[in-house]
Amino acid sequence: MFSEEIEIGSQVTNPRANPKKRERTKSGVKTVKPFAVEGVSQRVAKYWHNRYTLFTRYDEGIKMDEEGWFSVTPEDIASRHAERSGGGTVIDCFSGVGGNAIQFAKMCFHVVAIDIDPKKIGFASNNAKIYGVEDYIDFIIGDFFQLAPFLKADVVFLAPPWGGPTYNTFENFTLDLLKPKDGYSIFQVAQRITPNIIMFLPRNVDLRQVEELSWLSSPPLNIEIEENYIGSYLKGITAYFGNTASRLPTLS
Ligand code: MGP
Ligand code: SAH
């Protein structure tokens, strides 16, 4: 979790309705940037500019905190994850503000959304209501690793913290950089629930290590790796395992 959490609600002020809002400075009058009007820090301003890519219904009252802004899965990619999940019961083990959980709920029978941060679950619940899917999601505040032994599901979805927006400063993002535990440990805990695992990872992730995950199981799990683009921008990599994947691993 990050300490500088700022609660933001689009209904506070609609910058498009008030584009010329100004504030006074010592030197006179300056134009306030719209994202400042919404309380979004400079650190996440670039995500605010892409807000409709993150949530197409953003203007209807979507709420996020700082970590939510830079972690939420863009709606088109989350929708793709849901299409590929095949339905049934899906556990979103690190649900954040609900970007994935909402799309799973739109296509699947039942979603369990877990986050260790109570504020995230509050925002996810608010956001699910906006999309009309709150009745299909069980929201749980808790530590995935403690809850895992008690969970059953058809598919497990993993989008853990990548260590903040500086993840892309690594040329090769190795799985030990994932939080709150390394990628191998996260995967092994998930595998005890089901081999049908979908994992959303940084675009600079070490693909050889991702393939290695499928060999943690005997016989090795099917695996498929997908690049996720928004327009021409590569946003992340999705690894599909077990029944959600379409081929055997090729690691030699
Ligand atoms: P980004 O690279 O920080 O943004 O995150 P962008 O706009 O591609 O920046 P650019 O300037 O490098 O082009 C891209 C996407 O990765 C985000 O929209 C999130 O979906 C996802 N993402 C980023 N972070 C830091 C995390 C994270 O910590 N956890 C998860 N699960 N997803 C993240
Ligand atoms: N896919 C989400 C974003 C996930 S960000 C979306 O689209 O909105 C990763 C989340 O993992 C953060 O919200 C963080 O609070 C949560 N998290 C970190 N450690 C956790 C743990 N041990 N158990 C459950 N959630 C955890």
Side-chain angles (χ1 to χ4, degrees):
M1 275 180 278
F2 287 75
S3 53
E4 351 159 19
E5 288 178 341
I6 302 166
E7 288 185 29
I8 309 154
S10 62
Q11 70 276 56
V12 175
T13 311
N14 180 347
R16 291 193 301 178
N18 196 9
K20 289 192 181 152
K21 187 160 172 114
R22 284 160 186 269
E23 72 178 18
R24 292 214 167 268
T25 66
K26 275 187 191 158
S27 55
V29 176
K30 84 169 190 202
T31 303
V32 175
K33 292 190 176 133
F35 57 81
V37 175
E38 289 202 18
V40 182
S41 75
Q42 286 289 343
R43 192 170 172 228
V44 295
K46 73 170 178 177
Y47 304 98
W48 183 88
H49 284 293
N50 290 325
R51 60 201 178 283
Y52 301 113
T53 304
L54 304 179
F55 286 107
T56 49
R57 300 179 72 168
Y58 179 80
D59 283 344
E60 293 174 47
I62 292 292
K63 289 185 181 170
M64 284 186 266
D65 61 6
E66 182 119 346
E67 187 183 14
W69 273 106
F70 63 69
S71 306
V72 62
T73 305
E75 192 165 299
D76 276 356
I77 298 175
S79 170
R80 167 86 181 150
H81 292 151
E83 269 171 34
R84 292 289 309 263
S85 71
T89 298
V90 179
I91 304 177
D92 185 354
C93 307
F94 304 91
S95 77
V97 297
N100 283 103
I102 289 167
Q103 296 305 317
F104 283 124
K106 278 173 77 175
M107 286 183 222
C108 303
F109 296 123
H110 183 212
V111 182
V112 178
I114 301 170
D115 203 286
I116 201 164
D117 179 359
K119 284 171 80 179
K120 297 288 193 310
I121 292 293
F123 293 142
S125 168
N126 170 81
N127 299 339
K129 279 186 196 131
I130 289 166
Y131 280 78
V133 295
E134 73 275 22
D135 290 345
Y136 301 96
I137 307 177
D138 285 331
F139 294 100
I140 301 179
I141 299 167
D143 179 347
F144 164 62
F145 301 98
Q146 288 186 4
L147 293 166
F150 307 101
L151 300 172
K152 286 190 179 8
D154 299 298
V155 177
V156 160
F157 179 75
L158 303 169
W162 301 350
T166 55
Y167 78 88
N168 61 12
T169 56
F170 297 94
E171 198 169 317
N172 191 39
F173 186 98
T174 48
L175 292 180
D176 59 293
L177 295 167
L178 288 176
K179 309 285 177 208
K181 295 188 181 186
D182 69 90
Y184 296 99
S185 303
I186 295 173
F187 192 83
Q188 273 180 318
V189 172
Q191 224 187 349
R192 284 183 217 128
I193 303 170
T194 174
N196 308 322
I197 297 170
I198 303 176
M199 203 168 183
F200 187 49
L201 294 162
R203 59 189 174 221
N204 53 342
V205 72
D206 184 326
L207 290 177
R208 192 178 164 81
Q209 289 191 339
V210 178
E211 283 247 344
E212 270 172 12
L213 293 174
S214 62
W215 292 85
L216 294 173
S217 186
S218 178
L221 296 173
N222 279 7
I223 177 171
E224 188 180 339
I225 290 174
E226 177 180 88
E227 291 182 325
N228 301 114
Y229 285 86
I230 297 290
S232 55
Y233 293 97
L234 180 59
K235 292 289 172 183
I237 299 275
T238 306
Y240 298 91
F241 297 91
N243 287 347
T244 67
S246 59
R247 67 169 178 83
L248 288 166
T250 53
L251 196 70
S252 53

